[in-house]
Amino acid sequence: MSLVKSSNDKGLKRRKFLVGAGVAAGAGALARQLPLNVIEPVQAADAAAEPVKTELKRTVCSHCSVGCSVNAIVSNGVWTRQEAAFESPINMGAHCAKGASVREHGFGEHRLRYPMKLVNGKYTRISWDQAINEIGDKLLQLRQQSGPDSLMIIGSSKHNNEQAYLLRKFSSMWGSNNCDHQARICHSTTVAGVAQTFGYGAMTNSFNDLHYSKAVMFIGSNPAEAHPISMLHFLHAKELGAKMIVVDPRFTRTARFAHHYVRVRPGTDIPLVWGILWHIFNNGWEDKEYIAARTYGMDDVRKEVAKWTPDKVSDITGVPEASVRMAAEMLAKNRPSSVVWCMGITQHHVGTANVRALSILQLALGNIGVPGGGANIYRGHDNVQGATDVGPNGDSLPGYYGLAEGAWKHFSNVWGVDYNWILSRFGSKELMEKPGITVSRWFDAVNEQNQFVDQPANLKAVFYWGHAPNSQTRLPDMKAAMQKLDMLVVIDPYPSMTAAMHGRTDGVYLLPAASQFETQGSCTSSNRSIQWRERVIAPLFECKTDHEIMYLFARKLGFHNELCKNIKVVQNEPVIEDILREINRSCWTIGYTGCSPERLKLHMENKHTFNPTTMLAESGPCKGDYYGLPWPCWGTPEMKHPGTPILYDINKPVAKGGLPFRANWGVEHNGQTLLAADGSTNRDSELDTGYPEFDHVFLKKLGWWSELTPQEQAMAEGKNWKTDNSGGIIRVVIAHGCAPFGNARARCNVWNFPDPVPTHREPLMSPRRDLVAKYPTYDDKANFLRLPTLYKSVQEVDFSKDFPMIMTSGRLVEYEGGGEETRSNPWLAELQQNMFVEVNPKDAVQSGLKLGDYVWIETPTGARLKMMAMVTERVPVGMVWAPFHFGGWWMGEDLERHYPEDGAPTVRGEAINTGWTYGYDAVTMMQETKVSLCRLVRA
Ligand code: SF4
């Protein structure tokens, strides 16, 4: 949708878009359109005698997490054309607008071209040497004065797995857990909620597996815009008769396909899910056998659900009673049924509880571990899943190993460095084992009085490495923090809004990073498939790959030898394959160990051999593997585990991709067993009952120890399946048909969470003041992830009188994340030229607005945001919706002049997060972006 068509010369017509995207023209025609800055470097090959060298490079779209393949045609080093990869079992030749225009990365006229430094308010070109030296000197000085925790590294979900892993290692060797990335603010609540229920924090099935679904409920998810190619898989199921339910406060583009649309009041997902479950329990539609054999604590849920009678659910959620019952009936009577969710569920102060309610619903229906069922959670960026699995997370080492001494010893062993050396890099052992500051709150760790920050000094320097600031809430507080910092460093292919919004005159550096098309490496789709990207082109301009930049900083800071002890370095670039091999040698917990570079490359070359429904290779060199070796891919690469396409599926042997629930919480709680019932085990399992996770003691008890080789025995002695670096324990256990992590029950009661059974709590900014007293939020916390965190004291203030409209946000098909990259892409910029807010026609009349008028959105933080009004019945009366991809304006002012020259994106607009209010999930510090309050004022 575009409210106003641009008439400036940057506007591009559809025909030009097709040509530019390589859909309608050959390489020769395209070469004539290349901007001069791209043509120039290949002049040497222009000599008449030189034949044009054309190559096909296999890569993966770098936008959302579906993982669509792209075939890139490269002529003499210039990316001349892109083609849809028909042979990919994921996208089968389809691309959305974003995927169809990724070749723009090979042009990049808005890209950062060389390192820059802010001098007297102007960005000035400097050399890489100067940049690394100056920044490095400042870091060493800060380390001396304030300790290593004075630095925060905000990494990226667009790093490939190897870069994400290396950045976590970099932060560890620098001596701080203050590192994080986008997953904190998109799916940290999913990871926490799902992992604590089932065992692993990931989507259970694949996009393709929806082909088997008989019903799908999309809740807080809009795949028609956010994950368009995933929608094709569902539409295939719909053609085969699958029922479609869409739960969303806004009538989205996905909702228009639904058999049953449920318009829910924002922030009331738990009452709705309990309302659905009320009908399921009352009608006996639950899967009793499954519940008895494979779950723990469902009776506690029954007690809570019994309170949620249809009238009460309807009052709180705004959904008519019959509508709730219809959703329950459609899910229960059309099994297997699947549930798909995204940030409409996760980005709440009760996000983790929301996630758990949906996980419990699927357990009650027996839908977890079956084709066509599952808890399917679509991530945002191309490698959110991989960066979460092995990357810069402040509460964990790679592979979710945590931060306890044992975890550090495991990694110091793998890294080949002394544990005491790593310890010496930290401020203290306590700080080494304490989760770091989160990306959602880093600015509070600058602004807050030091006595309330749970580390020796406040943050003094921040690296924004491939992360958009406008994807975070409370931007005025962030801007204030940026001004207080000693140093702000932006490392990105594009100057993100960080470069323009800080309001400083010095102390800011911009370093040009290469995109994922200018390096090679692996990335993990939302469905856990790991794909290998070949390098398409050499880095443009003076851009450097992220891993080269990490190496250069490590060298300056004095730990490059430790960082790359087992990794070869060629011309300052740590070899990507060697980094993946180190991941293969360490991340046993999640089975990132069988996916060697060789196996992944083989999959990429033989995509056509995989079945697009089952993802199984039925012939060819990958025969028997699932596409992308979806993790866990157990054991060593030599073991040739095929990957696990569906988590917790006990109808397959573990050796063939089956899995029970993980035994992660002991064997009993409150006198009840946590292990699966007798007979509830994987096919071919030699243990016909539930069992705990494996270690050297258990193996000996079972008499299986002798099956380890002497070498394996030496390495496995005193170890468990997660820390045995020989892989022997895993090999032997799987040979006996068992899962290394045990065979347990899924937990419906998570006793270690603030709400062991998910409980409704009114949003912090609720217009239903009558419900606040009845369903209050949590008490304020003095220290949560190193910071005081407010709940009750925010909710106690009634903002609804002055700010009567509910505000919520979401995605557009044209843009991705904070959007600087996609809004700099002329093909996409043409499609969506203005920041806008959706307003119901009745509210528009009240405010005197009509389509295309400018309006101020004012929020309780004092923010005033100017954007166009999109008058539409997509939103109900009393609610407004805005996309979160825009940026480049600051409360009515266009920041174009504050970007470096030629660096401002083509489309700029107000960032909705500038006005977003306070609110954080009580388990993960996920920010609240789905329900707040505002008012409209005609501009
Ligand atoms: S943005 Fe997502 S759906 Fe679109 S082409 Fe890229 S990976 Fe596929």
Side-chain angles (χ1 to χ4, degrees):
M1 188 220 51
S2 179
L3 294 172
V4 177
K5 277 280 167 194
S6 162
S7 59
N8 68 27
D9 58 6
K10 285 183 178 167
L12 291 157
K13 297 281 177 283
R14 171 78 182 155
R15 166 78 190 144
K16 248 183 148 184
F17 168 75
L18 289 173
V19 171
V23 177
L30 284 164
R32 286 193 296 277
Q33 297 177 24
L34 294 176
L36 291 175
N37 57 16
V38 174
I39 290 175
E40 198 175 32
V42 293
Q43 273 177 354
D46 270 348
E50 290 262 355
V52 174
K53 190 180 165 217
T54 300
E55 297 168 280
L56 165 71
K57 301 285 186 178
R58 296 177 188 85
T59 185
V60 177
C61 173
S62 60
H63 294 302
C64 88
S65 64
V66 174
C68 299
S69 287
V70 178
N71 286 340
I73 313 300
V74 179
S75 301
N76 284 356
V78 179
W79 188 353
T80 52
R81 212 167 83 224
Q82 71 170 87
E83 290 176 347
F86 285 92
E87 69 276 25
S88 161
I90 293 181
N91 59 307
M92 295 178 289
H95 281 157
C96 72
K98 291 190 288 288
S101 57
V102 290
R103 191 176 63 111
E104 176 61 19
H105 284 276
F107 291 56
E109 290 178 74
H110 296 254
R111 291 264 301 259
L112 277 173
R113 297 168 189 219
Y114 31 73
M116 277 186 266
K117 170 185 180 180
L118 194 67
V119 181
N120 295 328
K122 276 267 166 228
Y123 283 113
T124 314
R125 182 175 185 167
I126 56 173
S127 69
W128 269 104
D129 278 350
Q130 185 183 346
I132 298 285
N133 277 325
E134 283 187 16
I135 296 167
D137 285 341
K138 185 73 194 170
L139 288 176
L140 291 169
Q141 186 195 2
L142 285 177
R143 184 183 177 88
Q144 190 71 26
Q145 288 168 349
S146 311
D149 276 328
S150 58
L151 169 66
M152 172 89 197
I153 301 178
I154 302 170
S156 184
S157 299
K158 293 211 173 294
H159 295 315
N160 59 34
N161 286 327
E162 295 73 23
Q163 293 164 337
Y165 170 89
L166 198 66
L167 193 59
R168 185 53 176 101
K169 192 173 174 184
F170 180 99
S171 187
S172 305
M173 292 185 171
W174 163 256
S176 175
N177 292 325
N178 287 337
C179 61
D180 208 353
H181 69 112
Q182 281 97 339
R184 175 74 52 195
I185 55 175
C186 66
H187 276 292
S188 59
T189 47
T190 293
V191 175
V194 174
Q196 291 290 324
T197 306
F198 308 139
Y200 278 144
M203 168 164 163
T204 57
N205 297 36
S206 72
F207 298 108
N208 305 48
D209 183 70
L210 287 184
H211 299 180
Y212 290 121
S213 301
K214 299 270 174 32
V216 179
M217 179 165 83
F218 296 91
I219 179 164
S221 158
N222 180 17
E225 297 204 70
H227 303 91
I229 302 305
S230 75
M231 192 74 186
L232 298 181
H233 292 291
F234 171 70
L235 291 178
H236 179 61
K238 199 177 166 206
E239 278 174 0
L240 298 174
K243 301 287 181 228
M244 181 181 191
I245 306 163
V246 172
V247 181
D248 204 298
R250 171 179 176 247
F251 189 79
T252 59
R253 289 188 186 180
T254 302
R256 68 177 282 274
F257 292 96
H259 295 106
H260 182 39
Y261 168 59
V262 178
R263 180 167 261 169
V264 64
R265 179 168 73 93
T268 63
D269 303 286
I270 293 169
L272 180 73
V273 177
W274 285 169
I276 291 173
L277 212 41
W278 188 92
H279 289 289
I280 289 170
F281 286 146
N282 272 275
N283 288 285
W285 291 333
E286 72 272 29
D287 188 334
K288 297 182 184 67
E289 221 174 286
Y290 186 100
I291 291 171
R294 299 193 66 189
T295 69
Y296 164 86
M298 191 63 88
D299 286 343
D300 303 327
V301 173
R302 278 180 193 277
K303 281 182 209 144
E304 178 66 22
V305 166
K307 299 177 199 161
W308 292 92
T309 52
D311 54 332
K312 193 162 147 188
V313 169
S314 188
D315 172 44
I316 292 175
T317 63
V319 181
E321 291 182 23
S323 178
V324 179
R325 184 187 156 99
M326 188 187 286
E329 200 166 344
M330 282 171 87
L331 288 171
K333 294 191 175 171
N334 297 282
R335 278 185 261 179
S337 45
S338 175
V339 172
V340 176
W341 73 77
C342 289
M343 298 190 314
I345 284 296
T346 63
Q347 289 185 328
H348 290 282
H349 84 300
V350 291
T352 303
N354 281 351
V355 163
R356 289 191 45 241
L358 288 167
S359 305
I360 291 167
L361 171 68
Q362 286 300 72
L363 287 170
L365 291 170
N367 274 330
I368 300 294
V370 295
N376 291 314
I377 310 123
Y378 297 175
R379 301 296 201 112
H381 296 278
D382 57 329
N383 201 33
V384 181
Q385 186 62 56
T388 305
D389 295 334
V390 299
N393 303 294
D395 49 0
S396 178
L397 286 167
Y400 308 99
Y401 273 80
L403 297 172
E405 186 179 309
W408 283 108
K409 285 193 167 158
H410 172 68
F411 275 96
S412 33
N413 185 8
V414 172
W415 294 338
V417 297
D418 183 35
Y419 164 78
N420 286 319
W421 175 78
I422 298 197
L423 174 58
S424 73
R425 302 288 300 160
F426 280 80
S428 66
K429 188 167 188 292
E430 192 201 345
L431 286 165
M432 184 183 191
E433 295 175 9
K434 183 185 291 190
I437 286 161
T438 62
V439 61
S440 51
R441 299 284 307 276
W442 73 262
F443 43 91
D444 285 329
V446 180
N447 296 336
E448 188 61 80
Q449 290 176 52
N450 180 245
Q451 73 213 67
F452 300 121
V453 181
D454 188 23
Q455 64 175 42
N458 289 59
L459 289 180
K460 308 267 190 215
V462 170
F463 274 33
Y464 256 99
W465 203 323
H467 183 104
N470 49 319
S471 60
Q472 298 163 246
T473 56
R474 299 172 52 213
L475 293 194
D477 292 324
M478 187 192 292
K479 182 173 175 175
M482 283 178 173
Q483 291 181 334
K484 277 191 198 153
L485 288 172
D486 288 18
M487 181 171 66
L488 178 61
V489 180
V490 181
I491 309 171
D492 208 294
Y494 290 84
S496 64
M497 187 165 147
T498 323
M501 67 174 273
H502 50 70
R504 299 176 63 115
T505 52
D506 55 24
V508 183
Y509 292 85
L510 308 181
L511 305 183
S515 73
Q516 286 302 309
F517 302 106
E518 294 153 273
T519 180
Q520 57 180 341
S522 67
C523 65
T524 308
S525 311
S526 203
N527 67 307
R528 295 170 286 105
S529 286
I530 308 169
Q531 297 190 86
W532 188 265
R533 283 190 180 115
E534 295 177 321
R535 197 176 83 160
V536 175
I537 48 170
L540 292 187
F541 316 115
E542 290 183 21
C543 296
K544 290 186 187 293
T545 59
D546 289 335
H547 49 291
E548 179 176 353
I549 300 169
M550 288 171 211
Y551 179 79
L552 293 174
F553 273 122
R555 194 170 67 185
K556 168 71 187 174
L557 299 171
F559 55 84
H560 59 299
N561 288 331
E562 288 83 359
L563 186 76
C564 294
K565 184 133 191 212
N566 302 313
I567 298 165
K568 202 170 157 196
V569 178
V570 178
Q571 291 178 339
N572 294 332
E573 267 197 298
V575 170
I576 285 288
E577 282 84 345
D578 284 3
I579 305 175
L580 180 53
R581 277 187 249 282
E582 193 170 284
I583 297 172
N584 294 156
R585 287 196 302 274
S586 56
C587 294
W588 305 99
T589 40
I590 46 172
Y592 258 72
T593 46
C595 51
S596 63
E598 292 73 24
R599 289 187 83 189
L600 294 181
K601 288 177 186 176
L602 200 66
H603 278 219
M604 209 56 184
E605 284 159 17
N606 293 280
K607 290 195 284 280
H608 57 285
T609 62
F610 291 85
N611 181 306
T613 294
T614 61
M615 307 282 270
L616 184 71
E618 291 161 350
S619 61
C622 307
K623 189 174 174 186
D625 284 358
Y626 291 95
Y627 183 63
L629 300 169
W631 67 258
C633 179
W634 295 113
T636 58
E638 294 71 35
M639 217 175 100
K640 295 252 182 262
H641 187 268
T644 307
I646 297 174
L647 293 174
Y648 324 118
D649 177 4
I650 57 174
N651 291 312
K652 283 193 199 94
V654 178
K656 301 249 182 238
L659 215 55
F661 291 121
R662 181 174 175 182
N664 210 18
W665 307 284
V667 295
E668 66 94 33
H669 186 71
N670 283 348
Q672 279 182 277
T673 182
L674 293 174
L675 300 181
D678 290 354
S680 180
T681 58
N682 278 86
R683 190 175 291 177
D684 293 354
S685 169
E686 289 180 24
L687 300 182
D688 190 31
T689 185
Y691 48 84
E693 59 180 340
F694 283 87
D695 63 8
H696 67 121
V697 177
F698 191 26
L699 222 60
K700 286 170 190 163
K701 267 192 195 154
L702 290 166
W704 298 350
W705 183 253
S706 59
E707 293 168 42
L708 296 169
T709 65
Q711 254 177 338
E712 286 173 339
Q713 284 181 354
M715 287 176 81
E717 188 59 57
K719 301 280 171 58
N720 62 27
W721 66 283
K722 293 174 281 194
T723 53
D724 163 25
N725 285 334
S726 78
I729 293 180
I730 289 176
R731 180 180 64 74
V732 168
V733 163
I734 292 179
H736 287 276
C738 296
F741 65 26
N743 175 17
R745 289 164 187 268
R747 288 199 304 175
C748 301
N749 180 328
V750 177
W751 56 83
N752 47 320
F753 271 3
D755 293 322
V757 171
T759 308
H760 176 54
R761 294 178 181 278
E762 270 292 296
L764 297 188
M765 302 264 167
S766 174
R768 285 288 304 269
R769 301 306 298 174
D770 57 317
L771 297 177
V772 166
K774 219 165 166 192
Y775 304 103
T777 184
Y778 309 96
D779 289 333
D780 295 350
K781 295 184 188 187
N783 181 4
F784 174 32
L785 295 171
R786 303 194 184 194
L787 287 166
T789 306
L790 307 177
Y791 293 95
K792 213 169 200 164
S793 56
V794 176
Q795 197 182 50
E796 269 168 6
V797 184
D798 179 5
F799 294 100
S800 65
K801 286 194 198 89
D802 294 331
F803 301 91
M805 307 283 295
I806 295 178
M807 178 165 102
T808 189
S809 67
R811 286 175 189 263
L812 296 172
V813 69
E814 296 87 359
Y815 297 138
E816 170 67 13
E820 303 286 287
E821 178 184 301
T822 39
R823 285 183 286 106
S824 295
N825 181 325
W827 324 111
L828 297 172
E830 166 71 1
L831 301 176
Q832 183 58 262
Q833 299 167 17
N834 299 289
M835 172 59 179
F836 64 94
V837 58
E838 292 187 355
V839 184
N840 184 276
K842 290 201 177 89
D843 291 319
V845 169
Q846 286 269 321
S847 307
L849 289 170
K850 58 184 188 316
L851 181 78
D853 282 351
Y854 272 105
V855 61
W856 289 103
I857 299 285
E858 297 181 346
T859 75
T861 63
R864 299 186 81 222
L865 315 176
K866 192 177 176 187
M867 57 195 81
M868 281 184 174
M870 166 78 180
V871 180
T872 170
E873 292 196 350
R874 284 182 203 165
V875 286
V877 174
M879 190 186 101
V880 297
W881 177 94
F884 63 73
H885 311 292
F886 287 80
W889 279 26
W890 188 265
M891 303 208 212
E893 184 204 352
D894 186 344
L895 297 178
E896 182 176 15
R897 69 194 167 91
H898 296 289
Y899 282 87
E901 203 181 340
D902 296 332
T906 307
V907 169
R908 296 174 302 283
E910 205 79 74
I912 191 68
N913 283 327
T914 307
W916 216 273
T917 48
Y918 196 98
Y920 297 96
D921 175 67
V923 177
T924 71
M925 207 69 101
M926 163 67 79
Q927 62 191 15
E928 171 72 76
T929 71
K930 295 304 173 202
V931 49
S932 186
L933 296 173
C934 71
R935 66 182 168 223
L936 302 179
V937 179
R938 201 174 185 285

